[in-house]
Amino acid sequence: MGTLGQLPIWASKPCIMGIDEAGRGPVLGPMVYGCLYCARSYQKTLSTLQFADSKTLKEEKREELFEELKTNKSIGWAVDVIDPRDLSAKMLKKTKINLNEISHNSAIGLVRKTLELGVLLTEVYVDTVGDPEKYRVKLSEIFPAIKFVVAKKADSLYPVVSGASIVAKVTRDRALRDWVLDETAENMQRNFGSGYPGDPETKAWLDNHKHAVFGFPTLVRFSWGTCNAYSKDNVEVVWESDANDEDEPNGRASKRQVKLTNIGFTGVKRKSEDIESNGKGRCKFFQARKLELLSQF
């Protein structure tokens, strides 16, 4: 949460909130939901703070406004940063959760956490995801004491949503800028562009950072259709039980082993001590990460 410590006096009076997101479309990085709230009596003052749809503002201006609202004691804010791995995992799990539902759940979570802080929310303005009226009804059923206004382009209509848009956008930009790549393989680069599928720099980065077995780095939302074009040369993986592996005819097993040797694995059985001492015969992925083979647990 952006507001910590003792709850300000104004939070116990009727308050309004705006909710918006940043990073819904990119194939790289997190999606961020942000909210901004203040006393309803502060609404007129809020409209004078030059908040606008974050997409219409230059990065320097967004950063400036974000720093200003952080120090404004009449404003509260919060964010929900959704990791790209979480996005893909939810969208590809057996019982799939689509992006709209993920977005709805994030917005609902922000409202719930703010209420739990003790803020007296009476009105919430939301930039819609999907049908505005259905979304409004859904929110109203969960929080019947709050009046919800759900609209397209709400970030350009309501200053409180414009403020939330800035919170979300700056948070995502900083997260992407400061992203620490988990992978330590050679030739890992950070020049991935904007992260949007149509960005030539992003396309080039994806093409140069795919792995035939392990796919993409964790920065990538691998459930996005954009990634399919880069998966044509991926190695086919067949999952079988240990029992089936033991009963596997030698010919079939060796055929698969040859297939793996083409991408860096070895079929030669060697002592683990020898393998760990010189690193030869192992996939570069494991060598780069200094992963050791354990024979005893």
Side-chain angles (χ1 to χ4, degrees):
M1 300 295 288
T3 303
L4 299 174
Q6 187 176 0
L7 196 67
I9 296 175
W10 58 260
S12 61
K13 300 177 181 179
C15 293
I16 62 172
M17 170 187 276
I19 299 176
D20 198 11
E21 56 77 26
R24 179 179 169 86
V27 67
L28 302 181
M31 179 170 73
V32 178
Y33 257 78
C35 74
L36 183 143
Y37 54 92
C38 64
R40 196 164 59 189
S41 59
Y42 190 73
Q43 201 165 1
K44 288 185 178 180
T45 304
L46 190 68
S47 63
T48 68
L49 300 182
Q50 297 182 307
F51 291 159
D53 175 6
S54 64
K55 294 184 289 294
T56 67
L57 300 172
K58 292 183 178 180
E59 182 179 359
E60 295 80 7
K61 186 61 176 178
R62 290 196 300 265
E63 290 280 350
E64 177 187 329
L65 290 171
F66 184 54
E67 291 303 319
E68 288 179 1
L69 71 84
K70 282 168 59 179
T71 59
N72 189 326
K73 295 183 180 180
S74 296
I75 292 175
W77 60 277
V79 292
D80 180 23
V81 181
I82 308 172
D83 189 274
R85 289 168 292 189
D86 291 338
L87 288 171
S88 293
K90 289 176 180 177
M91 295 176 72
L92 293 177
K93 64 189 298 187
K94 186 174 182 180
T95 304
K96 294 178 173 55
I97 304 175
N98 64 39
L99 193 59
N100 281 7
E101 189 174 354
I102 294 172
S103 299
H104 290 180
N105 291 341
S106 182
I108 290 167
L110 287 172
V111 174
R112 183 169 284 125
K113 288 178 181 178
T114 304
L115 290 172
E116 289 173 353
L117 284 176
V119 179
L120 181 59
L121 289 178
T122 57
E123 298 175 22
V124 175
Y125 298 80
V126 186
D127 194 46
T128 193
V129 172
D131 182 86
E133 180 58 18
K134 290 182 179 178
Y135 192 8
R136 185 195 67 78
V137 171
K138 179 179 182 178
L139 292 169
S140 297
E141 289 177 347
I142 298 172
F143 306 104
I146 299 175
K147 174 188 174 184
F148 284 94
V149 176
V150 182
K152 295 179 180 179
K153 305 294 184 182
D155 49 3
S156 61
L157 297 174
Y158 307 104
V160 71
V161 184
S162 301
S165 174
I166 291 170
V167 169
K169 177 63 175 170
V170 173
T171 300
R172 174 180 151 79
D173 286 349
R174 291 181 178 182
L176 203 57
R177 186 169 61 241
D178 300 334
W179 191 274
V180 178
L181 294 167
D182 293 334
E183 296 75 17
T184 58
E186 296 178 1
N187 302 322
M188 291 293 293
Q189 301 173 357
R190 292 185 52 83
N191 54 336
F192 39 67
S194 66
Y196 280 88
D199 186 338
E201 198 169 7
T202 299
K203 289 181 178 180
W205 189 89
L206 286 170
D207 193 40
N208 294 328
H209 291 77
K210 61 183 179 181
H211 191 283
V213 175
F214 301 102
F216 293 103
T218 54
L219 176 66
V220 181
R221 303 177 188 178
F222 53 85
S223 61
W224 258 233
T226 305
C227 296
N228 293 339
Y230 301 93
S231 305
K232 296 178 181 179
D233 299 328
N234 283 7
V235 173
E236 179 183 359
V237 178
V238 180
W239 301 99
E240 297 176 321
S241 67
D242 292 338
N244 287 341
D245 285 341
E246 292 175 0
D247 296 335
E248 191 83 66
N250 291 334
R252 190 175 176 186
S254 63
K255 184 178 179 180
R256 284 190 185 141
Q257 186 63 54
V258 170
K259 195 172 184 179
L260 289 174
T261 59
N262 292 336
I263 47 94
F265 287 96
T266 178
V268 181
K269 292 185 177 180
R270 305 160 80 182
K271 292 182 179 180
S272 60
E273 296 88 345
D274 295 336
I275 293 175
E276 296 306 329
S277 63
N278 57 33
K280 293 181 179 180
R282 299 168 59 210
C283 178
K284 291 182 178 179
F285 179 89
F286 297 110
Q287 293 182 42
R289 289 158 179 76
K290 298 180 175 58
L291 298 176
E292 300 180 358
L293 179 65
L294 298 179
S295 57
Q296 296 181 349
F297 298 90

